[in-house]
């Protein structure tokens, strides 16, 4: 089993490499995000241990490059901040587990072994909420058996709303996740997109799923969740 450790702090990196080597793994150590991303996308690893706080290309950036390159090995990320936002962000980018710094080596080893047993990260291929099905592989949406045509942005927007259904998503989050832009309050691009998506998803169907929460954002919710 070959592991990649991406960690800029010399002591922690050396300690992880030594510990994991002693535990029987082949270990490569990258000390920058750029090196880490390069190795992770060109060499073949069974798992990556990824520090979030890296100078230059940070852990999120490395994570993104790994998944964009189509690499599906599990990623365990190390975060010193331990905020829920960090955890959520990491998991959304496709990380499989996280560990707060400082951690006991035995804990890290246990997580690594669990992830390796679980095998390669598997995305669910179809998201389902109520009678809506979103097929990630075929880029297809069906509600109550009826095919619904969406633009690429509408598809991304619906995917985000479905992944985090029953959660009010602020416009700023939608802007960054779907349009990859900072929220600019002068633009009504999100309102327009939500209106169009709602017309396709909710008009002619029961119940309504996409709701506006005034002053806060949008939520996709079934009546049972409300
Ligand atoms: Ca660091």
């Amino acid at each position: 089993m070959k592991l990649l450790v991406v960690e800029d702090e010399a002591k922690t990196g050396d300690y992880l490499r030594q510990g994991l080597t002693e535990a029987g793994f082949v270990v490569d150590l990258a000390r920058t995000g750029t090196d880490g991303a390069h190795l992770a996308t060109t060499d073949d690893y069974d798992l990556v241990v990824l520090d979030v706080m890296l100078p230059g290309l940070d852990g999120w950036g490395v994570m993104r490059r790994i998944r964009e390159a189509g690499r599906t090995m599990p990623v365990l990320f190390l975060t010193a901040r331990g905020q829920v936002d960090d955890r959520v962000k990491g998991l959304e980018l496709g990380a499989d587990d996280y560990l707060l710094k400082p951690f006991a080596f035995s804990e890290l080893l246990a997580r690594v072994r669990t992830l390796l047993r679980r095998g390669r990260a598997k995305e669910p291929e179809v998201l389902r909420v109520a009678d809506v099905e979103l097929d990630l592989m075929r880029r297809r949406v069906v509600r109550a058996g009826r095919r619904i045509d969406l633009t690429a942005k509408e598809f991304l927007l619906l995917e985000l709303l479905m992944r985090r259904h029953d959660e009010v998503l602020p416009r700023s989050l939608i802007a960054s996740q779907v349009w990859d832009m900072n929220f600019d309050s002068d633009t009504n691009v999100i309102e327009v997109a939500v209106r169009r998506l709602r017309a396709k998803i909710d008009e002619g169907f029961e119940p309504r799923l996409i709701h506006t929460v005034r002053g806060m954002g949008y939520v996709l919710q079934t009546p049972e969740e409300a």
Side-chain angles (χ1 to χ4, degrees):
M1 289 282 190
K2 192 166 163 189
L3 311 188
L4 174 65
V5 174
V6 188
E7 170 62 86
D8 62 310
E9 294 148 62
K11 261 173 72 178
T12 312
D14 292 341
Y15 163 78
L16 287 176
R17 176 163 57 187
Q18 188 187 341
L20 290 167
T21 303
E22 282 168 8
F25 297 104
V26 175
V27 182
D28 283 346
L29 174 61
R31 298 193 189 272
T32 69
T34 311
D35 286 352
H38 177 72
L39 283 172
T41 53
T42 51
D43 209 330
D44 218 10
Y45 295 99
D46 296 291
L47 180 140
V48 178
V49 176
L50 178 60
D51 186 31
V52 171
M53 298 297 283
L54 297 165
L57 184 66
D58 66 10
W60 311 130
V62 175
M63 183 78 233
R64 211 171 266 128
R65 287 201 196 169
I66 290 175
R67 295 306 185 224
E68 277 170 6
R71 300 288 171 137
T72 58
M73 77 288 257
V75 174
L76 168 65
F77 73 94
L78 307 176
T79 170
R81 289 175 293 183
Q83 289 168 359
V84 174
D85 275 1
D86 274 3
R87 187 177 63 85
V88 168
K89 186 171 180 184
L91 297 177
E92 269 177 2
L93 285 171
D96 299 273
D97 201 358
Y98 75 103
L99 204 53
L100 301 185
K101 284 180 166 181
F103 52 83
F105 182 75
S106 56
E107 174 69 8
L108 176 108
L109 190 56
R111 301 286 187 99
V112 165
R113 289 193 167 132
T114 302
L115 286 172
L116 287 170
R117 260 200 308 275
R118 216 192 283 164
R120 306 218 150 215
K122 272 250 162 52
E123 267 276 293
E125 289 181 1
V126 179
L127 304 178
R128 286 191 182 82
V129 179
D131 54 357
V132 179
E133 290 184 5
L134 182 144
D135 188 323
L136 291 159
M137 304 305 288
R138 289 186 286 177
R139 316 302 289 176
R140 225 167 67 169
V141 174
V142 169
R143 180 159 189 190
R146 251 193 279 166
R147 173 82 179 270
I148 296 170
D149 286 316
L150 299 181
T151 64
K153 288 295 181 200
E154 289 165 353
F155 188 93
L156 271 178
L157 177 59
L158 181 63
E159 180 184 343
L160 177 66
L161 287 163
M162 286 179 74
R163 280 188 192 281
R164 297 177 63 169
H165 64 94
D166 198 30
E167 188 182 334
V168 178
L169 304 179
R171 288 176 181 79
S172 55
L173 181 133
I174 294 174
S176 67
Q177 299 271 317
V178 178
W179 280 270
D180 201 18
M181 66 178 191
N182 289 321
F183 182 56
D184 170 0
S185 54
D186 288 340
T187 176
N188 66 346
V189 59
I190 295 168
E191 283 77 0
V192 170
V194 170
R195 203 181 307 137
R196 291 205 177 119
L197 180 63
R198 187 183 273 146
K200 293 181 179 180
I201 294 296
D202 278 341
E203 272 173 28
F205 297 100
E206 283 292 331
R208 280 183 51 209
L209 296 173
I210 300 171
H211 305 273
T212 304
V213 183
R214 210 164 289 283
M216 296 185 71
Y218 301 97
V219 60
L220 189 147
Q221 207 171 38
T222 63
E224 302 88 71
E225 290 172 322

